[in-house]
Amino acid sequence: MVEWRGRALAEFPELRSVIEHEAWSCHVFFIELLDLVRDAHRRGDVDLLRRAYGFAQWCLEQPGGFLSNAAVVSFYEHAFDEWELRDEVARWLPAQVAQRARPLWEWRLPADRLAEVDRLLSSGDHPG
């Protein structure tokens, strides 16, 4: 399994206590990271958004499935939980995220919101 803590600590020193807590998995880290991401969207903190979405994408691309699944289940699945940020969030999601997370969004989002997510992600105004 790929070691995520070192990379996370280098990218997010502000989450040191979460990252270094041995009993907590990357799932707990992703929950905390999502809080930072939402605040960063509201503040327009592009540096933090670049680091956070970059880290999540790095996890998504790791072999073995553990980090990839953690990124999908604990980060991308909840990307649209704060609906007012949907336009901003969609701009940061690479195309492969929709393929992996859409089944979870289908389960979590009402049909009208899922249709809006599909529209936002098909607009081409996002990485990937």
Side-chain angles (χ1 to χ4, degrees):
M1 177 171 51
V2 175
E3 173 52 42
W4 63 274
R5 290 180 196 271
R7 184 175 179 125
L9 190 55
E11 293 287 334
F12 308 101
E14 59 267 59
L15 292 177
R16 175 180 294 279
S17 65
V18 175
I19 296 164
E20 291 182 342
H21 195 291
E22 288 297 321
W24 290 346
S25 72
C26 60
H27 293 277
V28 174
F29 168 75
F30 273 126
I31 291 166
E32 295 294 323
L33 185 60
L34 267 173
D35 284 341
L36 287 182
V37 165
R38 290 172 182 142
D39 289 342
H41 277 297
R42 289 184 181 99
R43 290 190 325 270
D45 186 342
V46 174
D47 176 62
L48 188 113
L49 293 170
R50 188 174 292 118
R51 288 184 288 134
Y53 285 106
F55 182 82
Q57 185 168 354
W58 174 80
C59 289
L60 190 67
E61 296 168 350
Q62 295 309 301
F66 177 75
L67 284 176
S68 179
N69 288 334
V72 171
V73 171
S74 296
F75 187 81
Y76 293 120
E77 176 181 354
H78 301 279
F80 295 104
D81 283 3
E82 294 199 14
W83 189 243
E84 72 276 7
L85 298 174
R86 67 189 175 278
D87 293 309
E88 291 297 318
V89 169
R91 288 187 193 114
W92 287 89
L93 298 182
Q96 75 260 34
V97 167
Q99 296 170 327
R100 297 279 306 275
R102 193 176 190 287
L104 299 170
W105 296 335
E106 287 175 9
W107 178 69
R108 294 178 52 81
L109 297 173
D112 60 329
R113 288 190 174 191
L114 182 62
E116 174 73 2
V117 167
D118 288 340
R119 184 191 68 74
L120 288 169
L121 293 177
S122 68
S123 72
D125 188 22
H126 57 88

